[in-house]
Amino acid sequence: MNHDFDIHLLKSAIYDSASSIKELREGVQVFSKQHEVDLVTEADLKSEEILINAITKHYPNDGIISEESETINPDSNRTWIIDPLDGTVNYANNIPQVAITLMLLENNQPTQAYVLDIYKDVLYEGYKGQGAYKNGEELKILKSTTMQKAIVATGFPYDRVHNSSHYMKTFEAVLQSCGGVRRFGTAALDVCWIADNKFDAYFEFFIKPWDTLGASLILEEAGGKVIDQNGGFPSLDSNLIIASNNLIHQEFKEIVLSNIDESLDNRL
Ligand code: IPD
Ligand code: CA
């Protein structure tokens, strides 16, 4: 990759965040947010502080949307989106499937993204129109698959505790149609792992933009396909993400979209 992108100035900060997340793990303090099962730890907050400080140092006029903070410079046409720790429930339970996402939206279009798998030390990168990379090497989907053999990743929103039945119709339809389902608990890696020839597809309701928008750019640049409930590339307002290897996109999309529980209609 011979280009200079703005995000490259923030690369050391994302690695500093990863180091602090690892250092804080032993005995980490865990708190609940609105839902008892929706967690935040002191490591989420420390990682966020490192990333926000780096962005405001290098790009003081840019906007920032980060999971655990108020939006900064909301009127800017350049906005950094941060998930300082994706997979908080994994992290709180010492399960090493944890990522950091940092990405840039320019005029509402994702243009540059990093997803760092912190325990495997793998950095995924995506640049609009200029490819996807894994630890600096070009990343392309090479996996040949069919819907019957596809490995599908998913996750459930935190209101599953009270509304689990709302999500079962789609889940059951996918279970009946594919080779296997995985729930690994880190949405950014679920999507990057389609680009990385591991998973073949992913869907999730009510995921937040910091969870999957950066990974969606990486996946599309690697040759995959990502849509939201309206059929276009996801935006800040998307309520359903459907991502896949291009080969099964049409079939997978139809399985998900034609099996949505009607209780979700007015929320999509
Ligand atoms: C969560 C993870 C999980 C997904 C949840 C997300 P967080 O993000 O990505 O895989 O199922 O919907 O909220 O809270 O760990 O950043
Ligand atoms: Ca998070």
Side-chain angles (χ1 to χ4, degrees):
M1 193 193 337
N2 298 317
H3 303 281
D4 270 337
F5 293 99
D6 293 350
I7 202 168
H8 293 173
L9 273 184
L10 304 169
K11 197 183 226 171
S12 61
I14 201 172
Y15 281 103
D16 288 348
S17 288
S19 300
S20 79
I21 289 170
K22 288 180 190 162
E23 277 160 23
L24 287 166
R25 211 338 286 171
E26 214 43 55
V28 74
Q29 289 194 53
V30 183
F31 312 96
S32 289
K33 300 201 275 191
Q34 284 122 318
H35 291 275
E36 206 170 324
V37 291
D38 187 3
L39 307 180
V40 62
T41 72
E42 49 182 331
D44 298 65
L45 304 176
K46 183 67 194 169
S47 168
E48 183 169 81
E49 185 189 322
I50 293 168
L51 292 167
I52 291 179
N53 284 345
I55 296 167
T56 48
K57 177 177 157 209
H58 291 291
Y59 304 112
N61 299 321
D62 288 1
I64 305 177
I65 297 174
S66 186
E67 180 171 9
E68 316 298 345
S69 290
E70 296 293 313
T71 301
I72 295 171
N73 293 335
D75 298 327
S76 173
N77 59 4
R78 282 169 47 98
T79 301
W80 295 91
I81 315 259
I82 301 172
D83 189 343
L85 199 166
D86 185 24
T88 302
V89 174
N90 284 343
Y91 179 72
N93 290 283
N94 210 8
I95 298 167
Q97 180 79 352
V98 176
I100 301 169
T101 289
L102 174 64
M103 59 157 301
L104 179 62
L105 270 186
E106 294 179 273
N107 298 315
N108 290 320
Q109 300 300 317
T111 56
Q112 307 174 27
Y114 283 157
V115 173
L116 179 63
D117 178 337
I118 74 164
Y119 286 106
K120 288 177 212 71
D121 200 17
V122 171
L123 180 67
Y124 296 99
E125 298 168 69
Y127 303 98
K128 181 74 192 159
Q130 297 189 62
Y133 300 84
K134 175 187 179 184
N135 283 344
E137 300 289 322
E138 198 176 7
L139 188 59
K140 281 273 167 225
I141 297 188
L142 303 170
K143 200 174 172 189
S144 169
T145 194
T146 60
M147 198 59 240
Q148 288 76 11
K149 289 187 180 156
I151 301 301
V152 180
T154 190
F156 299 95
Y158 291 110
D159 77 344
R160 69 184 156 76
V161 174
H162 305 292
N163 297 327
S164 58
S165 63
H166 298 183
Y167 304 106
M168 286 305 123
K169 184 173 173 188
T170 326
F171 187 55
E172 188 176 24
V174 171
L175 270 181
Q176 288 167 351
S177 326
C178 70
V181 173
R182 299 290 182 270
R183 201 285 193 235
F184 282 13
T186 304
L189 292 179
D190 290 344
V191 175
C192 283
W193 279 14
I194 304 172
D196 202 4
N197 298 288
K198 295 175 168 54
F199 295 150
D200 302 297
Y202 160 85
F203 76 100
E204 188 162 347
F205 290 96
F206 308 118
I207 195 87
K208 300 290 189 212
W210 45 77
D211 290 311
T212 51
L213 207 47
S216 297
L217 172 63
I218 293 166
L219 175 55
E220 286 240 337
E221 288 296 323
K225 186 81 186 155
V226 189
I227 60 168
D228 71 4
Q229 71 278 6
N230 300 315
F233 188 83
S235 69
L236 290 177
D237 305 317
S238 298
N239 280 330
L240 167 63
I241 301 298
I242 302 171
S244 66
N245 180 319
N246 240 328
L247 294 174
I248 57 166
H249 171 69
Q250 203 57 32
E251 220 177 326
F252 183 60
K253 168 179 110 174
E254 271 157 31
I255 292 164
V256 174
L257 292 177
S258 61
N259 287 288
I260 294 176
D261 192 281
E262 56 191 32
S263 63
L264 297 178
D265 280 350
N266 62 356
R267 295 174 60 198
L268 286 177

